Amino acid sequence: MRGLLLNHYYSTDKSIRNALLLTVFVSLGLHLAQQSIALRAAAFVPFILMIQPAFEVLKHDAMSGWNKFVFTLPLRRSQLVRSHYIWLLLLLATGTLIAYGLFFGTTFFIDSPSADTFYNFSLRAIGIVLCMGALSYPLTFWWGTEKSDQITLMSVGFGLGMFFLVSMGLLLFVGADAPSYDRIFSISLVAVSLLVYLLSYGISVWIYKNKEG
Amino acid sequence: MSSILELEDVTKRFTNSSFALKGISFSIPYGSIVGFIGENGAGKTTTMGTIIGTLKKDDGVIRMLGKEVDRDQVAAKEDLGVVFDNMNFSKNLNAVQLGHVLSHIYQRWDASQYRGYLERFRLPTDKNIEHFSRGMSMKLSLAVALSHEAKVFILDEATAGLDPVGREEILEVLLDVVKDKDRGVLMSSHITSDIEKVADRLIFIKNGEILLNVSKDSLVSDYAILTCTPEEYQSVPQEIVAAYRKKDDGIDVLVTPIDTLPATFNRRPFSVDEVTLLLMRGETK
């Protein structure tokens, strides 16, 4: 597993560095704007930018033929799949560190419009990103990276779809006027997304086990 | 246990193709280099795919080091060294980074041996491998295959596209690999002269079937190619005709055994290339 993660890292280290710089630059600008809408964007941007290398690895693997060579390595197919799912989680964790680091860093010097807004929107961003990964991986393993554009569009649609689905579910069962509705919704979205991500991992393993190089 | 790798009636069919492997059986003795010869689409890569696990065989048995293996057996892959016709490593890595990656994957990864091969092949360690020439790429693939104490080496067109010096370098390494008689190599190549130089056994495959499986010594001593007219062909004992090919200027005939060949027929020296052409383009008996 460590070898695979290391390979993912080496394959995309330049992109990770670029994403880090861009994330810090854009997020900092948004925080300094001291606007509620900018703070919401600052909660989203780190996650959206930082996960790009996770999907880029799939393209690199296909273009180089590494996705064929790995079948000859002493690794279980489930390990190959797991390395991708963990890689996305690691990038997501990096995005979380940057997002919260910048938030706490900037609020130390300037007033933030609302900490709750930031927490809620960052959780929602995590939920949407997890859903995007949950659809992207099995579809890429099944269709190949040639259809990556369609897969990206579908995964964005799926992420937003899950967002509205969880929102509608909560409105039905909890009601919008429930105390701390925003917090309940954000946590629920992350919880549902994690379940979908786990389910997606199972499906991807099944696809990979039947895959031929 | 005299074979390091054995295939027994291995079959493989594809849903979108009429091509199939039709009961492939052969073995690679310890200390042997076996040349796998056939035209494009004959089934070489498919056969190798079933051995290395990129393809799932439908039927048959594959034994490595005496143990039956299937494509999901992780431990067996420690003993397998694979070189494809193209380098298949992530292109953004350099050779040192690739070594780091593989040291976490192979239990028996030998970093000093890997460094030794990088030096021997004069491969740069700080250059991204996407900038490697074809020769450098194939040498890097070979260095990887040789650095984790593999026992069975599968090389699919590993010398294709290399200059004569690069090819010779790779062939020398292969001879070195088998000299202790504890490893074995299966190599396919369209450059039959390469195979002729190093292989001690030759397997000819066509349309998913093995046409001929013969030791190089036996091919030299027990086989002959005759070029004769249609009339002369009629007088060749049919039981010794292994294959024949009609040409504009006569018929080429591969015969074995040759001790019953009438003295009126002239035997001529032949190359593996000629046998390949005769088997691939001609008819077998």
Side-chain angles (χ1 to χ4, degrees):
Chain A
M1 181 60 69
R2 274 178 71 187
L4 292 173
L5 290 173
L6 202 54
N7 194 66
H8 296 337
Y9 171 70
Y10 286 143
S11 299
T12 52
D13 58 350
K14 276 183 197 148
S15 303
I16 293 170
R17 273 200 299 272
N18 291 339
L20 270 170
L21 281 173
L22 193 63
T23 301
V24 170
F25 185 73
V26 174
S27 299
L28 204 57
L30 290 167
H31 279 295
L32 293 175
Q34 287 183 282
Q35 298 290 319
S36 177
I37 189 91
L39 187 69
R40 290 175 188 190
F44 260 92
V45 162
F47 302 101
I48 300 296
L49 290 179
M50 283 309 299
I51 59 149
Q52 295 313 313
F55 303 124
E56 202 184 309
V57 159
L58 296 169
K59 285 187 191 172
H60 282 301
D61 287 1
M63 276 162 54
S64 64
W66 174 256
N67 62 349
K68 179 185 176 187
F69 188 78
V70 284
F71 291 146
T72 73
L73 297 174
L75 296 166
R76 286 190 185 82
R77 291 187 177 226
S78 58
Q79 287 176 292
L80 304 176
V81 174
R82 204 179 310 145
S83 76
H84 287 289
Y85 277 74
I86 290 176
W87 182 234
L88 187 135
L89 290 179
L90 286 174
L91 291 169
L92 203 57
T94 312
T96 308
L97 279 175
I98 297 169
Y100 279 78
L102 285 172
F103 175 70
F104 290 124
T106 49
T107 49
F108 190 74
F109 297 104
I110 55 171
D111 285 337
S112 170
S114 163
D116 271 351
T117 305
F118 180 81
Y119 298 146
N120 286 332
F121 273 81
S122 59
L123 287 173
R124 290 169 196 184
I126 290 171
I128 290 172
V129 161
L130 283 174
C131 286
M132 285 170 65
L135 193 73
S136 283
Y137 283 131
L139 286 185
T140 307
F141 296 146
W142 192 16
W143 288 343
T145 51
E146 303 82 23
K147 299 200 172 160
S148 63
D149 291 343
Q150 291 100 308
I151 292 170
T152 303
L153 284 174
M154 287 169 79
S155 66
V156 170
F158 182 67
L160 295 174
M162 286 303 294
F163 181 92
F164 289 113
L165 206 67
V166 173
S167 166
M168 278 164 57
L170 275 182
L171 283 173
L172 271 176
F173 293 107
V174 180
D177 49 356
S180 307
Y181 172 82
D182 275 353
R183 179 65 56 86
I184 293 170
F185 168 61
S186 304
I187 292 171
S188 302
L189 182 63
V190 172
V192 170
S193 303
L194 276 171
L195 282 176
V196 171
Y197 197 64
L198 274 175
L199 183 70
S200 158
Y201 167 71
I203 294 168
S204 290
V205 169
W206 181 82
I207 292 171
Y208 230 73
K209 280 191 174 168
N210 291 291
K211 200 175 162 74
E212 297 200 316
Chain B
M1 190 170 61
S2 57
S3 300
I4 197 160
L5 179 73
E6 290 174 78
L7 274 76
E8 212 175 282
D9 279 327
V10 171
T11 61
K12 171 71 188 167
R13 290 171 290 274
F14 296 91
T15 44
N16 299 322
S17 164
S18 57
F19 173 79
L21 287 185
K22 299 157 192 152
I24 299 291
S25 298
F26 65 82
S27 59
I28 301 179
Y30 277 87
S32 187
I33 297 177
V34 174
F36 205 25
I37 304 166
E39 55 195 341
N40 289 334
K44 303 185 297 291
T45 302
T46 305
T47 305
M48 289 176 160
T50 62
I51 300 168
I52 63 181
T54 54
L55 295 173
K56 197 175 188 173
K57 64 180 163 53
D58 294 326
D59 279 306
V61 177
I62 297 173
R63 283 188 208 91
M64 212 160 77
L65 303 162
K67 287 182 193 152
E68 192 172 332
V69 293
D70 71 40
R71 70 175 191 154
D72 295 321
Q73 278 178 359
V74 170
K77 290 180 181 174
E78 290 278 354
D79 294 314
L80 207 55
V82 180
V83 180
F84 287 115
D85 53 348
N86 281 305
M87 183 184 63
N88 294 96
F89 307 124
S90 300
K91 303 278 189 279
N92 292 347
L93 278 66
N94 61 39
V96 173
Q97 290 172 327
L98 180 65
H100 286 157
V101 167
L102 295 170
S103 69
H104 291 290
I105 292 175
Y106 286 108
Q107 283 181 7
R108 299 196 301 256
W109 181 258
D110 187 337
S112 63
Q113 191 158 39
Y114 178 64
R115 277 196 303 274
Y117 277 115
L118 294 183
E119 280 171 28
R120 177 173 174 176
F121 293 144
R122 299 171 301 283
L123 295 172
T125 52
D126 55 349
K127 190 174 172 182
N128 273 9
I129 55 184
E130 70 177 320
H131 302 301
F132 277 20
S133 67
R134 179 165 172 80
M136 289 156 81
S137 301
M138 298 323 290
K139 284 174 189 170
L140 180 64
S141 299
L142 194 60
V144 167
L146 291 164
S147 299
H148 58 91
E149 295 177 27
K151 298 287 180 197
V152 179
F153 293 84
I154 309 290
L155 285 80
D156 191 5
E157 298 291 343
T159 57
L162 301 190
D163 59 55
V165 178
R167 276 170 30 218
E168 184 151 304
E169 215 169 350
I170 285 180
L171 298 180
E172 279 169 6
V173 172
L174 292 182
L175 287 171
D176 210 30
V177 161
V178 295
K179 75 168 190 264
D180 291 334
K181 307 281 179 201
D182 61 346
R183 298 191 272 188
V185 178
L186 176 66
M187 72 175 284
S188 75
S189 177
H190 289 301
I191 309 167
T192 46
S193 61
D194 285 348
I195 289 181
E196 204 166 353
K197 268 183 206 162
V198 293
D200 33 38
R201 190 156 200 94
L202 307 168
I203 297 172
F204 297 87
I205 184 170
K206 182 180 176 183
N207 295 332
E209 277 181 286
I210 290 179
L211 296 181
L212 184 63
N213 181 349
V214 65
S215 74
K216 197 166 73 183
D217 291 345
S218 170
L219 188 68
V220 172
S221 59
D222 302 335
Y223 286 73
I225 290 181
L226 316 171
T227 300
C228 47
T229 62
E231 293 74 34
E232 286 170 329
Y233 177 67
Q234 295 305 319
S235 60
V236 178
Q238 289 303 296
E239 64 274 15
I240 67 166
V241 175
Y244 64 95
R245 181 187 176 199
K246 289 179 181 168
K247 292 162 71 177
D248 290 343
D249 56 346
I251 302 174
D252 279 348
V253 191
L254 179 70
V255 292
T256 187
I258 52 175
D259 45 7
T260 55
L261 186 69
T264 47
F265 288 100
N266 285 327
R267 291 169 57 187
R268 60 175 173 81
F270 64 90
S271 64
V272 173
D273 216 23
E274 283 178 279
V275 177
T276 306
L277 277 174
L278 218 157
L279 287 169
M280 298 302 139
R281 305 289 298 273
E283 303 291 328
T284 47
K285 285 244 173 169

